[in-house]
Amino acid sequence: MICERVAEELKERFREARAVVVLTGAGISAESGVPTFRGGGGATVWRGMPVEKIATPEMWRADPVTFWQWYAYRREVIERAEPNAAHRAIAAWERQFERLTVITQNVDGLHQRAGSRKILELHGSLWRVRCLQCGLNMEDRRVPLPEIPPRCPSCGGILRPDVVLFGEVVPETVFSRAVAATAECELFLVVGTSAVVYPAAVLPVLAKQHRAFVIEVNPETTPVTGIADVTILGRAGEILPHFSPEGHGGG
Ligand code: BJW
Ligand code: ZN
């Protein structure tokens, strides 16, 4: 899968690193049965709409029923899904590195379910909802939803998922923590993301600028491939369990 020399170097990097960041995207949950947005070919399309059209505040306002049918479908898929070997490997690294930060673009909560504790959710959570009418923000794990679109228990307004849609700003506190962790890490892993969505896509570049060793794990090449120190073309659940100070470096 990767040559002996690279495997040795990775083993060394994992043994020596104290501050580590893992940036994850939809691909890390693919082996749990959660569909990606863009991986594996063209854009994911829901009823003729690419993700760039449906995951927008304009869509929520114009057609909350279709918008919420998409989110309700994904809540059903994700509720049935289990964290996979990649999520579990990352959770175990918390015990091995002095500082490990997981920065995820995913809204599925599978890192938490695998046992990771220090997680920065750049794009929010599918398991929270908020009401723009009265400001309510609460956890909501109901599957299936009792009505589509779901309504605010406090004022009756139409709820929205507490996720970051296209054109919306990633919460400043979350992003500044992600930038700080990226700037100070020695090892930066990029796992299962097409790395085309900003501002998450700037983080690997920032890591490189701050001289972190950048490792990418993805079955396909991405814009990160050009700047990564090592790209391992493979599935996260098969590769990541090999990465540990005791492991054999992906071999
Ligand atoms: C495997 C695998 C296996 C498969 N193992 N791997 C600067 C430049 C250009 C554009 C912009 C810019 N700044 C802002 C923009 C606009 C926009 C943007 O980036 N557009 C691009 C499409 C060009 N960004 C925004 O709007 C962001 N807001 C923002 O920047 O605010 C400031 C601002 C506002 C207005 C104007 C200007 C600035 C917000 C972005 C929010 C994205 N939201 C979504 C939905 C979240 C909620 C939900 O989930 O429903 O986030 S869209 C969707 O894409 C979701 C994902 O988190 C995100 C990234 O996708 P990801 O995770 O990379 O998944 P895929 O499917 O793309 O890739 C999967 C990968 O896995 C593939 O590579 C596979 O090969 C791989 N894979 N199996 C390992 N087994
Ligand atoms: Zn309300």
Side-chain angles (χ1 to χ4, degrees):
M1 195 181 303
I2 52 176
C3 75
E4 195 67 23
R5 186 184 53 76
V6 175
E8 269 311 307
E9 161 142 38
L10 293 182
K11 193 175 165 184
E12 187 70 16
R13 296 273 177 189
F14 269 75
R15 204 169 28 232
E16 287 179 355
R18 283 163 302 150
V20 177
V21 168
V22 189
L23 171 67
T24 66
I28 197 168
S29 298
E31 289 157 80
S32 295
V34 182
T36 63
F37 298 97
R38 303 170 192 81
T44 295
V45 171
W46 170 258
R47 298 191 188 160
M49 284 171 287
V51 62
E52 286 79 6
K53 176 151 192 224
I54 196 155
T56 61
E58 291 77 19
M59 187 68 197
W60 175 76
R61 270 192 296 273
D63 188 352
V65 172
T66 305
F67 176 93
W68 265 108
Q69 281 169 340
W70 188 55
Y71 278 97
Y73 156 73
R74 289 172 61 211
R75 284 164 69 109
E76 283 176 26
V77 170
I78 291 164
E79 193 214 30
R80 285 196 304 270
E82 293 294 333
N84 65 51
H87 298 106
R88 291 195 298 272
I90 293 170
W93 293 346
E94 268 185 22
R95 294 190 290 278
Q96 284 161 3
F97 297 114
E98 223 169 273
R99 271 166 295 152
L100 176 78
T101 306
V102 177
I103 305 173
T104 189
Q105 298 167 82
N106 299 346
V107 297
D108 57 27
L110 290 177
H111 282 299
Q112 287 88 335
R113 283 177 51 197
S116 284
R117 285 165 307 156
K118 194 168 172 199
I119 306 163
L120 298 174
E121 291 182 309
L122 288 183
H123 295 162
S125 170
L126 201 59
W127 304 112
R128 296 195 67 78
V129 291
R130 59 191 164 95
C131 174
L132 297 189
Q133 209 162 275
C134 73
L136 183 88
N137 185 319
M138 64 173 197
E139 187 176 9
D140 183 345
R141 295 196 168 266
R142 296 173 298 172
V143 174
L145 288 163
E147 55 177 342
I148 288 182
R151 298 219 165 239
C152 173
S154 175
C155 77
I158 294 178
L159 291 169
R160 57 160 284 175
D162 191 17
V163 299
V164 180
L165 301 169
F166 277 110
E168 295 181 332
V169 178
V170 171
E172 171 57 30
T173 46
V174 180
F175 194 62
S176 58
R177 281 187 205 141
V179 167
T182 299
E184 67 171 36
C185 74
E186 296 141 63
L187 202 54
F188 189 95
L189 282 99
V190 189
V191 182
T193 175
S194 58
V196 295
V197 173
Y198 287 83
V202 305
L203 296 173
V205 179
L206 187 68
K208 198 68 216 146
Q209 283 166 353
H210 285 262
R211 299 198 169 73
F213 190 81
V214 176
I215 303 171
E216 178 182 38
V217 179
N218 196 314
E220 296 175 11
T221 58
T222 75
V224 170
T225 310
I227 61 153
D229 293 285
V230 175
T231 291
I232 302 172
L233 293 173
R235 287 149 58 104
E238 290 163 12
I239 304 292
L240 295 202
H242 294 289
F243 283 7
S244 75
E246 296 83 40
H248 52 83

Short mmCIF file of all heavy atoms in Angstrom, two decimals, residues 77-98:
data_model
loop_
_atom_site.label_atom_id
_atom_site.label_comp_id
_atom_site.label_asym_id
_atom_site.label_seq_id
_atom_site.Cartn_x
_atom_site.Cartn_y
_atom_site.Cartn_z
N VAL A 77 -30.51 7.81 8.26
CA VAL A 77 -29.33 7.02 7.88
C VAL A 77 -28.29 7.06 9.00
O VAL A 77 -27.73 6.04 9.41
CB VAL A 77 -28.70 7.58 6.57
CG1 VAL A 77 -27.35 6.94 6.29
CG2 VAL A 77 -29.65 7.36 5.40
N ILE A 78 -28.06 8.25 9.53
CA ILE A 78 -26.99 8.43 10.52
C ILE A 78 -27.36 7.80 11.85
O ILE A 78 -26.51 7.24 12.55
CB ILE A 78 -26.64 9.93 10.65
CG1 ILE A 78 -25.97 10.42 9.36
CG2 ILE A 78 -25.75 10.19 11.86
CD1 ILE A 78 -25.92 11.92 9.19
N GLU A 79 -28.64 7.85 12.20
CA GLU A 79 -29.04 7.24 13.47
C GLU A 79 -28.76 5.74 13.47
O GLU A 79 -28.37 5.16 14.48
CB GLU A 79 -30.53 7.49 13.72
CG GLU A 79 -30.89 7.15 15.14
CD GLU A 79 -32.29 6.59 15.28
OE1 GLU A 79 -32.79 5.95 14.34
OE2 GLU A 79 -32.89 6.79 16.34
N ARG A 80 -28.91 5.13 12.30
CA ARG A 80 -28.67 3.68 12.19
C ARG A 80 -27.19 3.35 12.06
O ARG A 80 -26.78 2.21 12.27
CB ARG A 80 -29.39 3.12 10.93
CG ARG A 80 -30.89 2.99 11.08
CD ARG A 80 -31.45 2.09 9.99
NE ARG A 80 -31.13 2.54 8.64
CZ ARG A 80 -31.88 3.38 7.91
NH1 ARG A 80 -33.00 3.84 8.42
NH2 ARG A 80 -31.53 3.73 6.70
N ALA A 81 -26.37 4.34 11.70
CA ALA A 81 -24.95 4.09 11.44
C ALA A 81 -24.17 3.95 12.74
O ALA A 81 -24.55 4.49 13.78
CB ALA A 81 -24.37 5.24 10.62
N GLU A 82 -23.08 3.21 12.66
CA GLU A 82 -22.17 3.05 13.80
C GLU A 82 -20.82 3.66 13.43
O GLU A 82 -20.42 3.59 12.27
CB GLU A 82 -21.95 1.56 14.10
CG GLU A 82 -23.17 0.82 14.62
CD GLU A 82 -23.61 1.31 16.00
OE1 GLU A 82 -22.74 1.80 16.75
OE2 GLU A 82 -24.81 1.20 16.29
N PRO A 83 -20.11 4.22 14.42
CA PRO A 83 -18.74 4.68 14.12
C PRO A 83 -17.93 3.52 13.57
O PRO A 83 -18.17 2.36 13.95
CB PRO A 83 -18.20 5.10 15.50
CG PRO A 83 -19.38 5.26 16.38
CD PRO A 83 -20.47 4.38 15.84
N ASN A 84 -17.01 3.81 12.67
CA ASN A 84 -16.20 2.74 12.08
C ASN A 84 -14.78 2.75 12.64
O ASN A 84 -14.45 3.53 13.54
CB ASN A 84 -16.24 2.83 10.54
CG ASN A 84 -15.60 4.11 10.04
OD1 ASN A 84 -14.46 4.44 10.41
ND2 ASN A 84 -16.31 4.86 9.20
N ALA A 85 -13.94 1.89 12.08
CA ALA A 85 -12.58 1.72 12.61
C ALA A 85 -11.77 3.03 12.56
O ALA A 85 -10.90 3.24 13.41
CB ALA A 85 -11.86 0.63 11.81
N ALA A 86 -12.08 3.90 11.61
CA ALA A 86 -11.34 5.17 11.53
C ALA A 86 -11.73 6.10 12.68
O ALA A 86 -10.88 6.71 13.32
CB ALA A 86 -11.62 5.84 10.18
N HIS A 87 -13.03 6.22 12.94
CA HIS A 87 -13.47 7.03 14.09
C HIS A 87 -12.86 6.49 15.38
O HIS A 87 -12.40 7.25 16.24
CB HIS A 87 -15.00 6.99 14.25
CG HIS A 87 -15.79 7.55 13.11
ND1 HIS A 87 -16.47 6.75 12.22
CD2 HIS A 87 -16.04 8.83 12.72
CE1 HIS A 87 -17.10 7.51 11.33
NE2 HIS A 87 -16.86 8.78 11.61
N ARG A 88 -12.85 5.17 15.50
CA ARG A 88 -12.35 4.56 16.75
C ARG A 88 -10.84 4.76 16.90
O ARG A 88 -10.35 5.03 17.99
CB ARG A 88 -12.70 3.07 16.80
CG ARG A 88 -14.20 2.81 16.97
CD ARG A 88 -14.46 1.37 17.39
NE ARG A 88 -14.01 0.41 16.38
CZ ARG A 88 -14.75 -0.02 15.35
NH1 ARG A 88 -15.99 0.40 15.21
NH2 ARG A 88 -14.26 -0.89 14.48
N ALA A 89 -10.12 4.67 15.78
CA ALA A 89 -8.66 4.88 15.85
C ALA A 89 -8.36 6.29 16.33
O ALA A 89 -7.52 6.49 17.21
CB ALA A 89 -8.04 4.63 14.47
N ILE A 90 -9.08 7.26 15.80
CA ILE A 90 -8.84 8.67 16.19
C ILE A 90 -9.16 8.87 17.67
O ILE A 90 -8.43 9.53 18.40
CB ILE A 90 -9.66 9.62 15.29
CG1 ILE A 90 -9.13 9.56 13.86
CG2 ILE A 90 -9.59 11.05 15.82
CD1 ILE A 90 -10.00 10.28 12.83
N ALA A 91 -10.25 8.26 18.12
CA ALA A 91 -10.61 8.38 19.55
C ALA A 91 -9.50 7.80 20.42
O ALA A 91 -9.15 8.36 21.46
CB ALA A 91 -11.94 7.67 19.81
N ALA A 92 -8.91 6.70 19.99
CA ALA A 92 -7.84 6.07 20.78
C ALA A 92 -6.58 6.94 20.81
O ALA A 92 -5.83 6.90 21.79
CB ALA A 92 -7.52 4.69 20.22
N TRP A 93 -6.35 7.73 19.76
CA TRP A 93 -5.16 8.58 19.73
C TRP A 93 -5.17 9.61 20.85
O TRP A 93 -4.13 10.14 21.22
CB TRP A 93 -5.03 9.31 18.39
CG TRP A 93 -4.77 8.40 17.23
CD1 TRP A 93 -4.36 7.09 17.28
CD2 TRP A 93 -4.89 8.72 15.85
NE1 TRP A 93 -4.25 6.59 16.02
CE2 TRP A 93 -4.56 7.56 15.12
CE3 TRP A 93 -5.26 9.88 15.16
CZ2 TRP A 93 -4.58 7.53 13.73
CZ3 TRP A 93 -5.28 9.85 13.77
CH2 TRP A 93 -4.93 8.68 13.07
N GLU A 94 -6.36 9.94 21.39
CA GLU A 94 -6.42 10.92 22.48
C GLU A 94 -5.58 10.47 23.67
O GLU A 94 -5.08 11.27 24.44
CB GLU A 94 -7.87 11.15 22.93
CG GLU A 94 -8.50 12.30 22.20
CD GLU A 94 -9.89 12.65 22.69
OE1 GLU A 94 -10.27 12.33 23.83
OE2 GLU A 94 -10.63 13.26 21.88
N ARG A 95 -5.44 9.18 23.82
CA ARG A 95 -4.65 8.66 24.94
C ARG A 95 -3.16 8.63 24.60
O ARG A 95 -2.33 8.46 25.46
CB ARG A 95 -5.11 7.24 25.31
CG ARG A 95 -6.53 7.20 25.87
CD ARG A 95 -6.85 5.84 26.44
NE ARG A 95 -6.98 4.81 25.40
CZ ARG A 95 -8.07 4.61 24.67
NH1 ARG A 95 -9.14 5.35 24.88
NH2 ARG A 95 -8.11 3.66 23.76
N GLN A 96 -2.84 8.77 23.33
CA GLN A 96 -1.44 8.61 22.92
C GLN A 96 -0.71 9.92 22.67
O GLN A 96 0.50 9.98 22.81
CB GLN A 96 -1.37 7.73 21.67
CG GLN A 96 -1.61 6.28 22.03
CD GLN A 96 -2.01 5.42 20.86
OE1 GLN A 96 -2.08 5.88 19.74
NE2 GLN A 96 -2.29 4.17 21.14
N PHE A 97 -1.44 10.95 22.30
CA PHE A 97 -0.79 12.23 22.03
C PHE A 97 -1.11 13.21 23.16
O PHE A 97 -2.20 13.17 23.73
CB PHE A 97 -1.26 12.80 20.69
CG PHE A 97 -0.90 11.93 19.51
CD1 PHE A 97 -1.89 11.31 18.76
CD2 PHE A 97 0.42 11.73 19.15
CE1 PHE A 97 -1.57 10.51 17.68
CE2 PHE A 97 0.76 10.93 18.06
CZ PHE A 97 -0.24 10.31 17.33
N GLU A 98 -0.16 14.10 23.41
CA GLU A 98 -0.35 15.10 24.45
C GLU A 98 -1.57 15.97 24.14
O GLU A 98 -2.39 16.25 25.00
CB GLU A 98 0.91 15.98 24.48
CG GLU A 98 1.41 16.30 25.86
CD GLU A 98 2.78 16.93 25.74
OE1 GLU A 98 3.77 16.18 25.71
OE2 GLU A 98 2.84 18.18 25.64
#
